[in-house]
Amino acid sequence: MTSAPSPAQTGDSGPTMDKFPDHIAIIMDGNGRWANGRGLPRAVGHERGVEALRRTVEAAQDIGLKNLTVYSFSTENWRRPVSEVNALFGLLKAYVKRDLNRLAQEGVKIRILGTREGLPEDILELVKRAEERTAENQKFNLCIAFNYGGREEILRAAKAMARAAENGDISSSAVDEAAFEQFLDTRGIPDPDILIRTSGEYRLSNFLIWQAAYAELVFMDVLWPDFGKHHLLEAIEIYRKRERRFGGLASGAA
Ligand code: IPE
Ligand code: IPE
Ligand code: MG
């Protein structure tokens, strides 16, 4: 865990002040610009991005976080040149191959969010292996959003729910938020408390658009390959100073 909150962050401003997040989601952005700035090919930026991911997963475990979700390939990223798409697929493969044993031993449960449609056979196999191998783990949830788009996820969930209704497994009167969430890729994982985007861009780019309804958004200027533990801690400190109201009133305002 991080150190106790400083006196400035405690006081009578309510229990949210010293609350530690259950779930952090990250849009890992800026690999290309990191490489461009150094006159290097974009693929090198992505390679360094994987190193930052490794550091961040380790840091998240270190500080006692339970759920981390990272955005590594969007349904819109297919618009990039084939060579870049291939490089990104290759890096996912390399990451899983290299880190799976260690992550499995550390109690990490891996889940890949997103549609399997369009993914090549070797990636599908690897995804399956990673999920099966770590299925019983409970210490830390690592969700990798790969071939993921929030709208696609919601539509896929809606279709699955409609099918369940057609089969008589669910009635339309039972359709509420909790029932719908069972059809999302994130079922069983709490909504993110903090959503970080690196590289100074201020948008969600179709990431967790259902789940992030009340996430605290933290936009950081750092390019993803330079991201490290202190950025994660900084985001948590920013979060701790925020007051979450969920549509209610500020504490002490009533
Ligand atoms: C993030 O870095 C990685 C992916 C989107 C796959 P980018 O490749 O988007 O880097 P920039 O935004 O071009 O700098
Ligand atoms: C979002 O970044 C997707 C990932 C980080 C995987 P992009 O770089 O693809 O997003 P845009 O195009 O700037 O919105
Ligand atoms: Mg980008």
Side-chain angles (χ1 to χ4, degrees):
M1 297 288 267
T2 47
S3 54
S6 68
Q9 291 149 10
T10 54
D12 60 1
S13 324
T16 55
M17 285 310 230
D18 55 353
K19 204 182 166 305
F20 191 77
D22 283 326
H23 183 181
I24 297 181
I26 308 181
I27 302 176
M28 310 184 288
D29 198 15
N31 295 350
R33 277 163 284 169
W34 185 94
N36 278 346
R38 288 165 176 75
L40 297 167
R42 291 178 61 86
V44 177
H46 295 313
E47 279 165 27
R48 297 296 287 266
V50 175
E51 284 169 34
L53 172 62
R54 208 168 262 130
R55 278 200 299 277
T56 304
V57 172
E58 195 181 311
Q61 291 172 281
D62 262 10
I63 63 177
L65 189 73
K66 289 279 171 267
N67 302 283
L68 177 72
T69 299
V70 293
Y71 202 7
S72 81
F73 188 84
S74 76
T75 45
E76 288 71 37
N77 286 147
W78 287 103
R79 293 177 187 153
R80 297 189 181 196
V82 150
S83 56
E84 177 153 349
V85 170
N86 286 339
L88 289 165
F89 282 21
L91 283 170
L92 177 79
K93 277 196 280 186
Y95 176 70
V96 172
K97 276 189 184 152
R98 195 177 135 188
D99 287 40
L100 181 57
N101 270 338
R102 186 176 45 79
L103 293 171
Q105 279 160 12
E106 289 170 355
V108 175
K109 182 175 186 155
I110 298 174
R111 192 187 296 187
I112 311 293
L113 314 180
T115 175
R116 306 293 199 250
E117 214 148 288
L119 291 181
E121 202 54 45
D122 54 347
I123 294 268
L124 289 173
E125 258 167 49
L126 210 60
V127 161
K128 194 163 161 254
R129 175 141 62 92
E131 289 187 336
E132 282 175 1
R133 173 84 202 277
T134 62
E136 303 304 322
N137 283 346
Q138 292 187 353
K139 214 164 154 198
F140 183 88
N141 289 314
L142 172 62
C143 297
I144 303 176
F146 192 86
N147 202 20
Y148 176 88
R151 289 184 175 181
E152 192 282 333
E153 180 195 27
I154 290 168
L155 273 181
R156 194 157 34 81
K159 274 189 199 164
M161 202 175 210
R163 260 197 312 275
E166 278 164 12
N167 296 340
D169 295 332
I170 187 169
S171 72
S172 58
S173 60
V175 176
D176 58 13
E177 288 187 13
F180 185 68
E181 281 170 354
Q182 294 310 307
F183 290 88
L184 292 172
D185 296 342
T186 48
R187 71 193 137 273
I189 307 263
D191 285 344
D193 301 298
I194 306 177
L195 192 152
I196 300 171
R197 182 170 189 147
T198 60
S199 87
E201 303 289 358
Y202 301 90
R203 55 180 170 270
L204 293 180
S205 300
N206 206 9
F207 187 44
L208 300 181
I209 51 178
W210 170 285
Q211 298 85 342
Y214 268 102
E216 291 296 328
L217 307 181
V218 177
F219 297 104
M220 305 181 97
D221 280 334
V222 58
L223 298 173
W224 177 250
D226 291 327
F227 194 87
K229 185 176 191 172
H230 70 282
H231 295 102
L232 195 64
L233 293 174
E234 189 187 329
I236 293 172
E237 283 314 309
I238 292 170
Y239 165 78
R240 280 179 153 156
K241 290 177 189 153
R242 301 250 181 106
E243 185 175 25
R244 302 180 86 186
R245 291 194 284 278
F246 298 101
L249 296 180
S251 53

